[in-house]
């Protein structure tokens, strides 16, 4: 499921950052099948983000292990790619950095070089305390909390376009709480994988139908705010992204694929794939200069080209991350992370 989610995210980034010459994804100068295809893959990225957070909540709610080693490994990975990518573009592309940008290179976490990574680490910091809160709740209280959060940050914006004190971290914690409920009370989610996949496909089809209606009529209807409707439907807290991502989590729970070392290895590289391909320098170069998306805007081969791009980005970044894991993680970081749990025990005793 992590592999699927990362593929979704790459497709989303291609749609958003591809420098397509269509005058904007949702209000294009010229409607075409290519335009509609770009619009159809746009929501996949936010679905992928929700899936990653749901997976984390599903496992962390029953985990008794310290989060410090995982936090350290992810932070070190962010620092590694921030420095390496900046160095490569300095050496081979002649990119120059001012003092503020140099500071950002060595502080990717607090500089939010990657918004998802920063928010995800903050969620990990909060997760042990969220777990204590949720275990103190009974099932009814847990469900009431979910209903309140979803109403506040999914339903209300969808109906009124009002966002009440919303931010990425609050949404990640909402997804965490939803996934924790699924893990703690599985008796409510015993349908087969096919049922959940079918629901996800139907909901995604409804979303695409709305996009198509907006394409055809959105420019002339003045009694609704088309832009706000589309924006929220494509956000990670939108009702479509939430339903689809939860259904996919429930579906994959029911799939018994066995244990496959290659799948596990590939899944382990997904965070690195994200850090590499969505670094601001790489993002600007890969879509405009390397793949030259602009020239394929109205090409009959655009759909195949986008899929080729997504597969190429996934495989190349995955190989790079495997090499980093083999050299950096195995030789250095894992040895350091072993001492963090004992260090945390000492800090806890001091507190």
């Amino acid at each position: 499921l992590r592999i699927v989610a990362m593929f979704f995210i790459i497709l989303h980034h291609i749609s958003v950052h591809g420098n397509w010459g269509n005058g904007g994804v949702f209000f294009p100068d010229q409607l075409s099948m290519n335009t509609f295809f770009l619009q159809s893959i746009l929501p996949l990225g936010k679905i992928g983000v929700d899936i990653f957070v749901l997976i984390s909540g599903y496992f962390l709610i029953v985990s008794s292990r310290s989060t410090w080693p995982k936090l350290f490994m992810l932070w070190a990975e962010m620092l590694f790619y921030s420095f390496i990518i900046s160095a490569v573009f300095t050496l081979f592309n002649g990119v120059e950095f001012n003092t503020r940008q140099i500071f950002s290179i060595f502080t990717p976490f607090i500089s939010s070089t990657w918004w998802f990574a920063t928010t995800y680490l903050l969620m990990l910091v909060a997760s042990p305390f969220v777990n204590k809160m949720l275990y103190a709740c009974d099932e009814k209280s847990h469900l009431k909390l979910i209903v309140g959060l979803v109403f506040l940050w999914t339903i209300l914006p969808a109906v009124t376009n009002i966002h009440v004190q919303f931010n990425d971290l609050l949404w990640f914690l909402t997804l965490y709480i939803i996934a924790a409920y699924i893990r703690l009370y599985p008796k409510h989610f015993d349908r087969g994988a096919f049922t959940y996949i079918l629901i996800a496909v139907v909901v995604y089809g409804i979303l695409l139908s709305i996009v198509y209606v907006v394409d055809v009529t959105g420019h002339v209807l003045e009694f609704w705010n088309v832009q706000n409707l589309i924006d929220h439907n494509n956000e990670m807290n939108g009702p479509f992204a939430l339903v689809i991502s939860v259904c996919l989590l429930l579906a994959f729970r029911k799939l018994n694929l066995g244990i496959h070392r290659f799948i596990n290895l590939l899944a382990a590289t997904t965070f690195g794939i994200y850090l590499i391909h969505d670094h601001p320098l790489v993002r600007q170069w890969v879509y405009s200069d390397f793949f030259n998306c602009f020239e394929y805007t109205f090409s009959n081969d655009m759909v195949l080209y986008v899929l080729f791009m997504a597969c190429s980005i996934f495989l190349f970044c995955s190989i790079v991350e495997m090499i980093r894991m083999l050299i950096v993680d195995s030789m250095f970081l894992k040895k350091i992370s072993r001492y963090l749990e004992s260090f945390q025990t000492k800090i806890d005793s001091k507190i």
Side-chain angles (χ1 to χ4, degrees):
L1 184 56
R2 292 171 69 186
I3 295 169
V4 172
M6 182 48 59
F7 197 76
F8 282 178
I9 291 171
I10 293 173
L11 286 172
H12 166 84
H13 287 154
I14 292 173
S15 176
V16 173
H17 305 301
N19 190 28
W20 305 102
N22 61 351
V25 173
F26 279 105
F27 292 95
D29 295 332
Q30 179 179 345
L31 291 174
S32 66
M33 287 302 298
N34 286 356
T35 301
F36 183 71
F37 173 73
L38 293 176
Q39 293 172 335
S40 68
I41 64 175
L42 185 68
L44 295 179
K46 302 305 182 181
I47 295 170
V49 167
D50 285 357
I51 288 172
F52 269 107
V53 180
L54 287 168
I55 291 173
S56 297
Y58 185 81
F59 287 106
L60 288 176
I61 186 62
V62 294
S63 175
S64 58
R65 297 179 60 183
S66 169
T67 58
W68 282 39
K70 186 175 181 65
L71 282 166
F72 170 75
M73 295 290 285
L74 294 179
W75 170 82
E77 189 174 348
M78 292 171 63
L79 183 61
F80 174 85
Y81 280 120
S82 179
F83 176 77
I84 292 298
I85 291 173
S86 300
V88 168
F89 274 83
T90 298
L91 292 173
F92 296 101
N93 280 41
V95 176
E96 297 181 357
F97 300 97
N98 57 36
T99 304
R100 183 180 182 85
Q101 291 169 330
I102 293 174
F103 177 78
S104 299
I105 291 171
F106 291 96
T107 57
F109 173 70
I110 63 175
S111 301
S112 295
T113 303
W114 299 277
W115 75 269
F116 171 83
T118 297
T119 310
Y120 186 81
L121 261 66
L122 290 173
M123 184 196 73
L124 286 181
V125 172
S127 62
F129 308 99
V130 176
N131 287 354
K132 289 182 180 293
M133 177 193 74
L134 294 178
Y135 276 111
C137 294
D138 57 20
E139 181 182 352
K140 185 176 180 180
S141 298
H142 194 154
L143 185 59
K144 287 166 68 176
L145 175 61
I146 292 173
V147 171
L149 294 176
V150 171
F151 173 80
L152 192 64
W153 291 323
T154 297
I155 299 175
L156 191 64
V159 176
T160 65
N161 196 39
I162 296 174
H163 296 263
V164 182
Q165 296 296 316
F166 177 81
N167 61 51
D168 297 333
L169 178 59
L170 290 176
W171 181 245
F172 277 28
L173 292 175
T174 299
L175 293 170
Y176 188 102
I177 292 169
I178 293 172
Y181 184 86
I182 294 172
R183 185 65 183 270
L184 295 176
Y185 309 104
K187 62 181 182 292
H188 303 300
F189 311 99
D190 57 354
R191 297 182 182 276
F194 177 79
T195 301
Y196 292 118
I197 292 176
L198 180 62
I199 295 172
V201 171
V202 170
V203 172
Y204 183 62
I206 295 172
L207 173 59
L208 296 190
S209 299
I210 292 176
V211 171
Y212 178 76
V213 171
V214 169
D215 278 347
V216 176
T217 66
H219 302 278
V220 295
L221 293 180
E222 297 181 357
F223 58 85
W224 66 342
N225 191 327
V226 176
Q227 188 64 59
N228 289 338
L229 174 69
I230 289 298
D231 285 347
H232 185 63
N233 283 338
N234 286 286
E235 287 301 320
M236 58 184 175
N237 63 314
F240 295 99
L242 177 60
V243 172
I244 293 171
S245 58
V246 169
C247 283
L248 290 178
L249 175 71
L250 293 172
F252 274 76
R253 282 173 67 248
K254 295 293 185 178
L255 294 178
N256 184 12
L257 302 178
I259 298 175
H260 299 275
R261 293 182 62 185
F262 177 74
I263 292 177
N264 291 340
L265 176 62
L266 202 60
T269 66
T270 51
F271 190 72
I273 293 172
Y274 163 72
L275 294 180
I276 297 170
H277 92 276
D278 201 43
H279 187 281
L281 292 174
V282 176
R283 182 198 307 156
Q284 180 179 353
W285 173 80
V286 72
Y287 303 116
S288 297
D289 297 338
F290 187 78
F291 284 112
N292 195 11
C293 295
F294 182 85
E295 290 193 2
Y296 286 85
T297 302
F298 301 106
S299 170
N300 294 330
D301 300 324
M302 192 264 270
V303 173
L304 291 177
Y305 191 64
V306 167
L307 296 177
F308 168 75
M309 288 170 57
C311 293
S312 300
I313 292 170
F314 189 103
L315 292 176
F316 175 80
C317 295
S318 180
I319 293 171
V320 172
E321 172 62 4
M322 287 180 189
I323 296 172
R324 187 204 66 83
M325 291 166 58
L326 180 64
I327 299 175
V328 180
D329 282 1
S330 299
M331 295 179 62
F332 302 104
L333 296 185
K334 286 186 178 180
K335 295 179 181 179
I336 298 174
S337 67
R338 293 193 190 105
Y339 297 102
L340 291 179
E341 291 194 41
S342 60
F343 179 71
Q344 182 186 9
T345 303
K346 293 178 181 179
I347 293 296
D348 288 345
S349 64
K350 294 291 184 181
I351 292 176

